[in-house]
Amino acid sequence: MKLSEIQQILEAEVLVAAGNMDQEIEMAFSADLISDILVMCREHTLLLTGMAHMQVIKTAEICDLAAVVFVRGKRPGQEVIDLAEKKGIPVLLSRLTMYESSGLLFSAGLPGISKKNRTSQEGLE
Amino acid sequence: MNKDPGDEQAMSLEFSLESLNFIRAGEASSELKQRLNKLGFRPELVRRAAIAAYEAEMNVIIHAEKGTMKVEITPARLLVLVEDEGPGISNIEQAMQEGFSTASEAIRELGFGAGMGLPNIKRCADDLEIQSTPGRGTRLKITINNEQR
Amino acid sequence: MGIYYHSVRLDREKCKGCVNCIKKCPTEAIRVRGGKAEINETKCIDCGECIRICPNQAKIVVTDDLEKLQEYEYTIALPAPALFSQFKPETEPAVILEALMRIGFDRTFEVAVGAELITQAIREEILLKREKKPYISSACPAVVRLIQVRFPGLVSHIIRVRAPMEIAARMAKEAAARETSLPLSRIGAFFITPCPAKATAAKQPVGDDNSWIDGVFSMNTLYRELHHKAKSVTVDARLHQATGLGMGWGRAGGENKAIGSGSLLSVDGIHSVVAVLEEVEKSGMGEIDFLETQACVGGCIGGPLVVQNPFVSRVLIRKMAEKYGRKPLSIPEEQTAKMVAGGYMATSKIIQPRPVMQLDEDIGRALSKMVLLEKTLQSLPGLDCGSCGSPSCRALAEDIVIGVAFESDCIFKLRERVGILANEMVELAQKVPPAMGRLQPAAREEGIVRLFLSEVVEILDAGLKGDPVDPLRQVTGAYCSDLLSDVMANAKEGDIWFTIQTHPNVVAVASLLNLSAVVITGGKEPDPETMDKAKQENLPLLVTKTGSFEAAGKIYCFLHERK
């Protein structure tokens, strides 16, 4: 699923396009805790989160996340947008809740991250 | 060599030991002893193991900050590993002499610290290895063989 | 291994299966099975603890009937020292001895005299210091058997002297044979016992093959008649041969007082004895010469078959020991010394351990069983409630491993199983095809989107934690967040909440907002406190391996298809 389709489904505002709205998103996950993001993440993955601060972008960079969606209308500060732009990470803003956003994307066919497609060392048992 | 299928059986136990906790002192050795009795080891061997473990446990409680006691049991032998993060022993040879003790008066009043600990462990064990670094801690490896099986 | 004789028995009629006894037994010899106590013959040491604790008097002591006196041409009563402390202070020992004669005995011989001889034997043995210190008294047969069963490593510490009652029986019978010219087989010696342990020892001694005692009468059954007869007898003071030395043996500390010198320790009450013996096993206690150990609190005067309050008896016995303390011994010391040297006091057999507590004869197999035991124990609640009929969770785990009990004997495990089964039944009911009438509650027909908790469980392949909760609990919406403040602000009543948070505050927030359930995602396990709290608040706690995104997605799909 292309990031631009995701933007349409979520009726999201594009905060940072980073010239990369046509990239293919393979899967998604939803989380609010940085530690959890660090454990779960892998490449070509979309993160849905209710946290809108600098750490999220830094984490996204470390994890090579494909893009970030801030849910429930949580608008980040300018410094967050600037950082995302600098790092080349697309950022969307959706007014929907995390549950609704997740639900819509999943029902549109975007799979969640699961044990099967997580990298091996990330045991979460 | 005839291999007894029982030889492959093993069990390990681990106990954490707390400094100066005289209320719980000896519990680890008691539990060890009960299990050895249940396993059907000879009374004489159980007794030696219990005494060695108790002395080692008391050493940790008296001298060290904290420590652990790990026991590996197989039909052929018992291995008791006691490690602590205590002051260490600066002169092991001296510590092995009966009557040598660095325990405080308060500890002696409780009936411990008579300087019988290590020699007593050695008496009970078939093999005793002591590794100690002053300021870092002490590691005892007590082996008791089950010969007359 | 031979069959053990026991004087402690169960009255099945009276036993209500109340489990009081199983927890008091020092060798864990009792189990409750089928609503009745069962005593394990190889583990029971006849100490009588269960007799004391039983609220239904279902534990009985089997002793002989007085009619047994008819079987012998000449009969001897052997009263234990404790007997003399059962009466009023002014009742002289000679009066009690005379009363025994009136009951039908031809002669009396005080066990206290035997105790005096044994005292001398112990003194000499301690001086020799032949074996490992401390010596442990052999006087209380319950303690001797306790050591055989539970402290097999200490059997060599038991002092190799006979019990005072055996010495008394032998001396009395030999004297009677000389005086009457009757063969020993026609002379009967009967011990008046304060406890079942000695009743058993008289039938089956530990350190010898045979006992010199031919029968045992319980102190409390003879008491009434003795009390009655004691009122009318004339006293012949010569009947009373024992001195304060032997008489004092009836109370805790009396044996040590008689021995007199050395480093002596006295401990009474079986559970205190266990504690001290554990100490001996651990630290050796080599500074002690002799350990006087008595199974009953207060010593023999605290036996289960006495009549008098043991605290009153203690005062009486101490006064008697003082009063008769300066009397010369009936057997001169030189004569006793000869008897000791001739081996009169020593047991004929070395006491062997009776390691009946072990899991298997083969250590390898025992190890496998113990590994299994520890694992089984982990799954038990650890409350040691005894409802399963075993004295503790550890004992139940052991019973399961050796194959005499089942995990479902534990009522907590049973309840868990019933809960799982109930849930499975509801789930199965949900799976009935719609054509056959799947559950279609009115609310759903009215077009209000609803979801049942059992469906959530099914969709997410989730585990329901804690107590079984109402599987038909309704879910009206969902919310996904890991931030508690966000949930507080935005989640709605009836929502299920997806989160990876596992701490107890999750439950607090969920119940505050009346959420329908909490789903912990990503395979995380809730903290034990969280589970406790969820149970308290009656809040369903679900656990799924699915991540938050997918879990939310699946529920979303389900709800929107229904729409």
Side-chain angles (χ1 to χ4, degrees):
Chain A
M1 192 184 288
K2 283 191 171 17
L3 184 57
S4 53
E5 288 173 65
I6 288 169
Q7 182 248 324
Q8 278 161 27
I9 291 167
L10 299 180
E11 295 172 15
E13 184 183 329
V14 180
L15 298 182
V16 178
N20 210 359
M21 290 300 286
D22 282 336
Q23 66 169 308
E24 196 64 29
I25 303 290
E26 287 172 10
M27 60 197 117
F29 77 105
S30 306
D32 289 330
L33 301 181
I34 299 291
S35 57
D36 189 43
I37 298 170
L38 283 167
V39 174
M40 295 282 289
C41 67
R42 59 164 296 181
E43 296 162 68
H44 309 299
T45 302
L46 176 73
L47 167 67
L48 289 86
T49 182
M51 299 285 282
H53 53 62
M54 303 280 276
Q55 286 309 319
V56 177
I57 305 300
K58 287 181 186 161
T59 309
E61 190 208 357
I62 292 164
C63 301
D64 284 329
L65 292 178
V68 176
V69 180
F70 291 132
V71 295
R72 52 181 170 260
K74 187 90 182 168
R75 188 175 290 276
Q78 191 54 47
E79 71 284 1
V80 175
I81 294 171
D82 293 345
L83 183 69
E85 232 148 38
K86 199 170 138 198
K87 303 286 179 193
I89 300 167
V91 176
L92 308 183
L93 174 65
S94 168
R95 285 182 301 102
L96 301 172
T97 65
M98 185 188 277
Y99 163 68
E100 289 163 325
S101 314
S102 305
L104 280 168
L105 293 178
F106 185 78
S107 60
L110 184 65
I113 200 161
S114 73
K115 256 202 323 196
K116 284 188 294 288
N117 48 24
R118 229 180 287 150
T119 46
S120 60
Q121 77 276 20
E122 304 158 345
L124 205 128
E125 301 309 298
Chain B
M1 203 177 88
N2 245 348
K3 212 168 177 205
D4 183 347
D7 276 349
E8 281 135 41
Q9 265 310 321
M11 164 170 203
S12 46
L13 301 168
E14 190 167 341
F15 307 92
S16 68
L17 309 173
E18 268 177 74
S19 159
L20 292 176
N21 189 340
F22 286 99
I23 294 163
R24 298 201 54 195
E27 265 183 26
S29 318
S30 276
E31 278 189 37
L32 173 65
K33 187 211 88 192
Q34 277 168 23
R35 283 180 172 85
L36 295 179
N37 271 335
K38 276 253 179 287
L39 288 170
F41 282 98
R42 278 173 299 117
E44 177 268 335
L45 182 140
V46 175
R47 192 170 150 74
R48 281 200 289 140
I51 292 173
Y54 183 64
E55 291 286 10
E57 190 182 348
M58 290 315 300
N59 273 349
V60 173
I61 284 166
I62 294 166
H63 297 290
E65 287 291 309
K66 59 180 176 181
T68 55
M69 178 159 100
K70 288 181 201 160
V71 187
E72 278 176 45
I73 309 168
T74 64
R77 58 132 188 72
L78 308 176
L79 197 63
V80 183
L81 284 168
V82 183
E83 288 180 316
D84 69 47
E85 296 167 24
I89 304 169
S90 49
N91 185 341
I92 292 177
E93 209 173 301
Q94 194 179 28
M96 288 303 298
Q97 286 164 17
E98 281 190 13
F100 177 81
S101 174
T102 57
S104 70
E105 270 312 305
I107 297 291
R108 286 171 199 246
E109 270 172 32
L110 287 162
F112 299 105
M116 300 298 285
L118 286 175
N120 206 7
I121 295 173
K122 191 165 174 63
R123 238 195 319 275
C124 293
D126 289 312
D127 186 52
L128 171 65
E129 280 176 37
I130 307 175
Q131 288 167 2
S132 189
T133 318
R136 296 282 290 280
T138 303
R139 184 187 142 97
L140 294 188
K141 185 176 163 192
I142 304 164
T143 310
I144 295 172
N145 296 321
N146 187 21
E147 283 131 3
Q148 302 169 17
R149 282 205 287 147
Chain C
M1 201 175 277
I3 291 166
Y4 296 104
Y5 173 87
H6 288 293
S7 59
V8 176
R9 313 268 175 90
L10 180 80
D11 182 341
R12 282 185 68 85
E13 294 288 304
K14 283 186 180 167
C15 178
K16 291 182 177 168
C18 69
V19 313
N20 273 305
C21 56
I22 61 174
K23 300 185 78 78
K24 269 276 170 179
C25 177
T27 57
E28 298 192 332
I30 315 175
R31 298 291 184 272
V32 175
R33 296 283 178 258
K36 302 285 174 190
E38 284 176 8
I39 308 175
N40 180 319
E41 290 215 353
T42 57
K43 287 185 182 173
C44 174
I45 58 169
D46 288 301
C47 65
E49 277 299 296
C50 54
I51 299 172
R52 272 189 262 264
I53 191 76
C54 181
N56 307 306
Q57 285 81 48
K59 298 292 192 323
I60 48 169
V61 179
V62 177
T63 50
D64 291 302
D65 203 276
L66 268 179
E67 276 169 25
K68 203 171 178 192
L69 292 180
Q70 308 307 320
E71 293 172 21
Y72 295 87
E73 272 174 56
Y74 191 86
T75 57
I76 308 160
L78 306 165
L83 180 71
F84 301 94
S85 65
Q86 302 299 301
F87 303 86
K88 288 196 181 107
E90 61 272 19
T91 314
E92 299 274 331
V95 172
I96 298 155
L97 293 165
E98 180 62 35
L100 277 168
M101 306 273 280
R102 299 277 171 100
I103 283 180
F105 293 98
D106 296 309
R107 175 195 178 104
T108 62
F109 193 102
E110 294 158 81
V111 172
V113 174
E116 286 159 9
L117 301 185
I118 291 295
T119 301
Q120 206 168 320
I122 294 172
R123 283 181 192 152
E124 291 187 18
E125 192 77 23
I126 291 176
L127 282 179
L128 284 174
K129 292 190 168 95
R130 263 203 300 250
E131 293 180 37
K132 295 179 212 166
K133 282 208 295 177
Y135 282 107
I136 300 171
S137 169
S138 62
C140 176
V143 173
V144 171
R145 287 187 290 256
L146 174 79
I147 293 171
Q148 285 182 293
V149 169
R150 202 169 148 178
F151 299 93
L154 297 181
V155 286
S156 59
H157 288 251
I158 302 169
I159 196 156
R160 283 193 63 186
V161 296
R162 295 190 162 114
M165 65 176 184
E166 286 294 333
I167 301 299
R170 184 172 170 188
M171 288 183 68
K173 280 170 91 169
E174 284 173 346
R178 280 194 302 273
E179 285 165 26
T180 62
S181 308
L182 283 168
L184 281 171
S185 60
R186 303 305 310 143
I187 302 166
F190 295 88
F191 178 60
I192 321 288
T193 189
C195 69
K198 288 195 167 77
T200 301
K203 304 277 178 192
Q204 199 176 56
V206 179
D208 285 296
D209 287 323
N210 295 300
S211 171
W212 282 80
I213 296 162
D214 302 289
V216 179
F217 302 125
S218 135
M219 222 167 253
N220 57 9
T221 55
L222 290 191
Y223 181 76
R224 253 176 77 104
E225 216 172 335
L226 282 176
H227 185 71
H228 180 71
K229 294 246 170 24
K231 284 177 190 160
S232 56
V233 297
T234 45
V235 183
D236 179 358
R238 283 170 304 172
L239 263 182
H240 174 45
Q241 295 197 310
T243 70
L245 191 83
M247 296 180 81
W249 273 56
R251 66 171 177 94
E255 187 179 350
N256 278 354
K257 188 157 199 301
I259 296 167
S261 63
S263 173
L264 314 171
L265 180 67
S266 161
V267 51
D268 55 315
I270 193 97
H271 298 286
S272 306
V273 170
V274 166
V276 168
L277 293 179
E278 279 179 349
E279 193 57 41
V280 174
E281 262 194 337
K282 277 190 307 209
S283 65
M285 289 179 82
E287 69 280 12
I288 304 289
D289 292 321
F290 186 82
L291 257 180
E292 178 197 317
T293 45
Q294 313 239 35
C296 297
V297 174
C300 296
I301 50 170
L305 302 179
V306 301
V307 180
Q308 182 64 273
N309 177 307
F311 296 97
V312 176
S313 319
R314 187 160 64 187
V315 177
L316 290 179
I317 214 163
R318 204 160 51 205
K319 283 190 173 159
M320 267 192 278
E322 273 167 30
K323 185 172 172 188
Y324 301 105
R326 277 182 289 276
K327 220 176 119 182
L329 293 169
S330 59
I331 315 278
E333 276 190 32
E334 308 79 64
Q335 191 185 334
T336 309
K338 272 186 203 154
M339 290 167 82
V340 173
Y344 200 90
M345 316 295 174
T347 53
S348 57
K349 291 195 298 184
I350 291 174
I351 296 174
Q352 295 297 328
R354 261 169 61 189
V356 296
M357 308 299 245
Q358 68 194 51
L359 288 170
D360 200 290
E361 283 175 6
D362 176 81
I363 293 180
R365 280 200 299 270
L367 268 169
S368 319
K369 284 182 182 175
M370 185 162 287
V371 171
L372 195 61
L373 189 160
E374 299 291 338
K375 220 170 117 189
T376 309
L377 183 61
Q378 295 264 308
S379 74
L380 296 176
L383 296 172
D384 294 344
C385 69
S387 303
C388 57
S390 300
S392 63
C393 290
R394 177 166 279 279
L396 175 63
E398 186 179 332
D399 289 347
I400 293 170
V401 167
I402 60 175
V404 296
F406 303 97
E407 202 169 53
S408 55
D409 290 349
C410 171
I411 59 161
F412 296 94
K413 298 303 282 183
L414 185 66
R415 196 169 69 166
E416 225 174 271
R417 287 275 308 142
V418 169
I420 292 166
L421 281 174
N423 274 329
E424 278 174 8
M425 278 172 69
V426 172
E427 275 174 32
L428 273 175
Q430 303 278 328
K431 282 180 180 145
V432 173
M436 287 176 67
R438 189 190 297 215
L439 224 51
Q440 289 288 342
R444 189 177 288 166
E445 281 162 9
E446 283 160 16
I448 305 166
V449 180
R450 285 188 200 217
L451 183 66
F452 294 101
L453 194 61
S454 59
E455 293 172 318
V456 175
V457 170
E458 203 178 322
I459 294 164
L460 299 179
D461 191 19
L464 198 49
K465 287 283 168 182
D467 282 350
V469 287
D470 176 17
L472 292 179
R473 193 171 182 135
Q474 295 188 354
V475 177
T476 50
Y479 199 79
C480 180
S481 176
D482 303 321
L483 305 172
L484 267 52
S485 54
D486 170 42
V487 175
M488 288 286 278
N490 300 313
K492 291 181 188 65
E493 184 170 344
D495 280 354
I496 47 170
W497 171 16
F498 301 100
T499 185
I500 54 156
Q501 299 272 26
T502 56
H503 56 78
N505 286 346
V506 170
V507 176
V509 168
S511 57
L512 197 69
L513 296 174
N514 272 332
L515 302 185
S516 54
V518 171
V519 181
I520 296 177
T521 59
K524 292 229 164 76
E525 282 290 325
D527 304 346
E529 303 87 67
T530 310
M531 304 232 276
D532 290 346
K533 201 156 171 145
K535 200 169 153 187
Q536 269 171 32
E537 302 283 344
N538 196 27
L539 177 84
L541 208 55
L542 275 58
V543 173
T544 178
K545 290 214 163 85
T546 313
S548 284
F549 174 81
E550 196 170 325
K554 282 178 170 169
I555 295 297
Y556 185 91
C557 290
F558 193 85
L559 282 172
H560 285 73
E561 265 168 37
R562 280 223 169 133
K563 239 179 205 168

